[in-house]
Amino acid sequence: MPLTTQATPTTYWLEHAWLGTHVEPGVTVDVADGRITAVRTGADTQPPGATALRGLTLPGLANAHSHAFHRALRGTVQVGTGTFWTWREIMYSVADRLTPETYYALARAVYAEMALAGITCVGEFHYLHHAPGGTRYDDPNAMGEALVSAAEDAGIRITLLDTAYLSAGFGAAPNAHQLRFSDGTAERWAERADALKERAHARIGAAIHSVRAVPAGQLGTVADWARERQAPLHVHLSEQTAENDACRDAHGCTPTRLLADHGALGRRTTAVHATHLTTEDIELLGDSRTGVCMCPTTERDLADGIGPAARLQGRGSPLSLGSDSHAVIDLLEEARAMELDERLRTRTRGHWTAAALLRAATADGHAALGWDDAGALETGALADLTTIALDSVRTAGPLPRLAAETAVFAASAADVRHTIVGGRQIVRDGVHTLVPDVPTALAESIAAVRG
């Protein structure tokens, strides 16, 4: 059943609502044609005919960085030891087995898991374009279309970040696994990406996989494609020190400087990870207002390191959050981890308020994905809402006025009670309304691609 907005005007009564600066008790939200038409405070009791959302209601959460097929790696990659590079070999083995049909089934289950976690929009960093060996499907965008359909059928929004991935590293030809990823040149990538069409639930953006995967002379082609369409542009940046070293060897500069020199930074660009940066890198990103998507649960799972998120935001880079490889799918944990990792690194507390962390998980995440009209409980915004229980074993006890702090620092995805997208309830009382048995859908779709 595809995603549709709520056609009939609806009123929701929010027991407690996060209004961006504070928790407000007793708020009614009117919805029509998928948007919020009115927000009223002072409703101490549920009005007749209104649908009650008990707990703390936030704007819908935005998962700004996802690789849906990595969900099949959960548990498998936790065996033994290794590095990012050994993890990557296991990842390739799953990528090799995906077809448009199995990719759709897996992504639909993963996006349903996201809806259960309160995520209303996902940024899918998509580079698995072609058949094994690099042969194009009859529809060259069959894999991307599978993801767009999967998001619709799971009831959430998607920004498909179609990714240029042309090289095994600084001019090296793609390896056998990477032939599925490559269009050969940035020009051919752009021709294929041009055929992707936006829909009510789907927007199209671009991505540079990394400076090692797109030759320097072709970075501008991808950046120009995004700029001409005023579309989001995302890029993996300095996730590993090996990338920085190889970039200096090839170009005599850092990856951030290389992107800057080829016009790839700016307000519509989001750098993902940005873990190993120089002071100049932070200045280049912040001064250009390039956003940064932090993915703490993946960065710690892969032993990448802790990025300079506080310094980046202080210099001017908006922060967003992503679950990336889906070691877990829990945007509340991503928000919490960003603060707690910084505490471990600096041995001081309180780098971000709960309000700032919620903004990264909502408004700034949606903006990074090109949905500037989402991420706030205000008139005119998309009616995307997430309600977190305040009576679970994790959240019971604190005063309601501290519900934002409770959500960020104690709650988990398991505490999400309701998820509403375009005014339509996708998760009701912890149950997905479109995918009735999400665990079985995950288990079956993962088994279909397991070696």
Side-chain angles (χ1 to χ4, degrees), residues 108-109 111-112 116 150 153-155 426 431-439 441-442:
R108 174 177 172 267
Y111 296 155
L116 289 172
D153 292 346
I426 302 302
V431 177
H432 202 291
T433 62
L434 305 180
V435 185
D437 189 347
V438 178
L442 285 163

Side-chain angles (χ1 to χ4, degrees), residues 364-413:
D364 286 345
H366 289 290
L369 298 176
W371 297 86
D372 298 298
D373 48 354
L377 300 184
E378 59 185 33
T379 301
L382 290 169
D384 297 355
L385 314 175
T386 297
T387 302
I388 298 167
L390 296 178
D391 56 0
S392 77
V393 293
R394 287 165 295 277
T395 61
L399 295 170
R401 64 181 175 82
L402 299 175
E405 286 76 11
T406 303
V408 171
F409 291 104
S412 76

